[in-house]
Each structure stands twice: as structure tokens, then as C-alpha cells.
Amino acid sequence: HLLLLGRGPVLDELSREALPPYVHLLGFTQDTCSYYAMSDMAILPSTFWGESFPMSLVEALMVGRPAIASDVGDIRSMLTSESGVAGEVVPVEHGRVRVDLIAEAIVRFAEIRDEYERAQRVACSLARGYDIRDVVERYLAVVSGTVKRSVRMARLRHRHPCSLEAWHPEDTGTFDAGASMEETPLREDGREAA
């Protein structure tokens, strides 16, 4: 069965045609993950070159489903890891997706179980990178590092406003004079407490 989700001119056009009984036009849904979970693969034949980070691919990966998607935007990097590709990335030629290549990929994954299972393992490994808990941890680590560097810079400016060229982002927090900036408490206004 082919489940088609979403809305727009393609849905409108297809709804006027006589489709085979295995093609299901489901329209818009907010719960795409459930549909991906009951499917074998996701298919994203986009021709939009600005396709920077399609959430539909993230949702498919989060439920361990490989994807067949066109090679636009960041799609290739989203589906690729050191262990391979979580599906198939097909070229866009002259503004069109090669439907024959998508069909060949569908048949290959349906007929060669090992290839499908390999793509599924890659999808599961990539999903970890999109897990919201991991994303939040990485985000907090970046913000925390930025805040620590900003506090060190503020302390350096307060102590030695003309000698910042000696400061480096990798500083451990100590200054030439030997005083540890980490140990010097600050007041709310950013100045050192007495």
C-alpha cells in the first residue's frame, strides 16, 4: 500500500484521478509518526532546493524507518552516517525527481531483505541524533560553554581592560597574575565581590 500524507496541489490533482486500490490519499495529519511506524519506508520526492531539514525525515528516522528521498538541501547528510545511508537518495534532474529511480529503490528494498535491514539499522542509529533529550543536552552544553566564556571575558575586562589579546577561548580560567577567575565571586552587576 502507498499512503500519501499532506495537502496541496498534488493531493488535489490525485484526488481527481482514478487511483489503484493500494494508493490511499490521507491528506493532512499531525500524527505522521504513527503512519511511518506502520510503514516500511518513507518517501520524500521533493524538488525544493531549499529543503534544509525536512521534519518528515526526522519523524521517519525516529521510528526506525529508512527513506527514499531526493538529493536536495540537507537530505543527503540527514540520511547518511559512517555506516551507510538510511535508504536511498535519488537525484533531481532538470527540476524533476526521477520516478523510475524511486520505483527501482522501492523494489530493491522490498526484494532484498538484507539491504532493507541494513538501511533500517542506519535509520535507528541516526535517530539517536534527533532524540529531543540528546538535542537538549547538546544545546545546554553549548549554552553553558558560552556563558562560562562570557563570564571569563567580563572578569578579564574588569581586571585588565587593555590586555584582552592574551585571552583565548580555551583558557582554563586562570590569569597571568595567578589569580583564578573561577574562584572570584561576582556581584549582580558583574563586578567582583569584596
Side-chain angles (χ1 to χ4, degrees):
H1 291 269
L2 179 62
L3 309 177
L4 299 175
L5 303 175
R7 61 179 159 215
V10 173
L11 175 69
D12 297 340
E13 182 181 330
L14 289 174
S15 64
R16 291 188 293 270
E17 295 184 22
L19 299 173
Y22 58 84
V23 176
H24 308 277
L25 303 177
L26 301 174
F28 175 78
T29 179
Q30 291 190 6
D31 185 21
T32 55
C33 288
S34 293
Y35 288 99
Y36 289 129
M38 71 172 136
S39 301
D40 294 314
M41 296 198 83
I43 302 174
L44 181 63
S46 177
T47 57
F48 178 55
W49 287 100
E51 196 78 74
S52 62
F53 193 81
M55 285 306 296
S56 57
L57 290 184
V58 172
E59 292 164 338
L61 293 171
M62 291 303 293
V63 295
R65 296 301 178 257
I68 300 169
S70 45
D71 194 6
V72 293
D74 289 333
I75 289 175
R76 178 174 295 279
S77 64
M78 288 178 72
L79 292 178
T80 305
S81 77
E82 293 173 0
S83 55
V85 179
E88 182 86 15
V89 181
V90 297
V92 174
E93 297 173 358
H94 309 291
R96 301 188 62 83
V97 176
R98 296 270 313 267
V99 176
D100 60 322
L101 295 179
I102 292 175
E104 288 173 16
I106 292 170
V107 170
R108 188 175 64 255
F109 285 115
E111 291 179 348
I112 305 172
R113 195 74 193 160
D114 289 345
E115 196 164 329
Y116 174 78
E117 289 172 354
R118 180 203 49 79
Q120 192 173 34
R121 282 191 301 274
V122 174
C124 289
S125 71
L126 287 170
R128 290 185 205 105
Y130 298 112
D131 184 292
I132 190 64
R133 293 168 295 220
D134 292 339
V135 170
V136 168
E137 268 185 42
R138 290 192 309 265
Y139 180 77
L140 289 175
V142 168
V143 170
S144 175
T146 302
V147 168
K148 286 178 183 176
R149 281 191 295 278
S150 295
V151 168
R152 283 194 296 241
M153 286 293 292
R155 289 178 176 164
L156 282 172
R157 283 189 186 107
H158 176 70
R159 288 184 181 166
H160 303 278
C162 298
S163 62
L164 287 182
E165 61 276 353
W167 181 83
H168 187 272
E170 301 299 321
D171 274 352
T172 60
T174 57
F175 194 73
D176 291 325
S180 171
M181 291 181 286
E182 305 293 342
E183 297 171 4
T184 308
L186 296 179
R187 298 187 316 207
E188 284 185 32
D189 63 3
R191 296 180 177 261
E192 290 180 18

